[in-house]
Amino acid sequence: MEDQEYFMAVAFLAAKQSPDTNSKVGACIVNTEKKIVGIGYNRMPIGCPAGSLPWARDNVDPLNNKYMYVCHAELNAIMNKNSADVKGCTIYVSLFPCNECTKIIIQSGIKDVIYLSDKYHNKTEVIASKRMLDLAGIPYRHFRPSSRKIVIDFDEIEPGLFDNPPADPPTD
């Protein structure tokens, strides 16, 4: 597996953690040494109890739409960074960043955006994102995987691991 496929797969694995039933988005930030320095997925802010904020996206009342509350994968990846900063890094995202995330990407010093889906390319938010990235001189590239799936086979790493499952612990 080449580096780009690996890092995009990590972004997709992170996306699986998202509680959003409509759009599961993940992001993986990689430094120039090819080390992962941040991972994130879209979720509600930390400390807001599950179910306390809406996940709806088509409600007429903006206060009952997820867009007022959800923290996007890019924001969370930058906030979750395990280094002093992300200057000069590449961000791998499963969905092209919105305008708000693009501002954060630019301000944080990320120098490259690699995305898989651009399904909202006609939306004002994405058009604005591309305009800002172009003006800031930050390239964005569409990633095309070599296959539709990457399978994680735990048995490949440790053959026979599941042949003899551990016994249940004794109960008192």
Side-chain angles (χ1 to χ4, degrees):
M1 177 185 317
E2 80 174 56
D3 288 345
Q4 286 194 353
E5 283 196 333
Y6 172 75
F7 297 129
M8 189 61 77
V10 170
F12 265 75
L13 196 56
K16 291 179 75 62
Q17 286 291 102
S18 175
D20 190 338
T21 56
N22 293 308
S23 299
K24 292 185 179 291
V25 181
C28 176
I29 302 173
V30 179
N31 69 14
T32 57
E33 297 171 346
K34 304 288 185 197
K35 293 178 182 172
I36 295 172
V37 297
I39 297 173
Y41 56 89
N42 54 330
R43 58 166 293 169
M44 291 300 176
I46 294 169
C48 296
S52 63
L53 296 171
W55 281 104
R57 60 185 209 176
D58 297 322
N59 197 303
V60 177
D61 178 2
L63 290 175
N64 287 320
N65 280 324
K66 69 179 183 175
Y67 303 112
M68 297 297 283
Y69 310 104
V70 71
C71 296
H72 288 179
E74 302 90 337
L75 167 68
N76 284 320
I78 291 167
M79 296 302 295
N80 294 339
K81 70 186 180 304
N82 62 6
S83 63
D85 61 47
V86 292
K87 285 183 175 65
C89 290
T90 298
I91 189 166
Y92 291 81
V93 291
S94 56
L95 181 63
F96 200 93
C98 71
N99 61 307
E100 293 299 322
C101 289
T102 295
K103 291 184 232 179
I104 295 165
I105 288 168
I106 293 168
Q107 293 298 91
S108 70
I110 288 174
K111 293 296 179 198
D112 201 14
V113 175
I114 300 175
Y115 65 94
L116 184 66
S117 174
D118 194 11
K119 67 181 177 179
Y120 299 121
H121 66 277
N122 287 330
K123 290 192 82 169
T124 307
E125 296 88 341
V126 174
I127 294 168
S129 294
K130 291 177 180 176
R131 182 180 292 176
M132 286 185 282
L133 290 168
D134 289 340
L135 288 169
I138 298 174
Y140 46 93
R141 295 189 309 273
H142 182 218
F143 172 75
R144 296 192 188 276
S146 62
S147 64
R148 293 176 65 112
K149 292 181 181 182
I150 294 176
V151 177
I152 297 173
D153 181 357
F154 290 106
D155 206 39
E156 182 181 325
I157 302 298
E158 188 174 335
L161 181 65
F162 297 100
D163 293 345
N164 298 311
D168 290 333
T171 58
D172 292 342

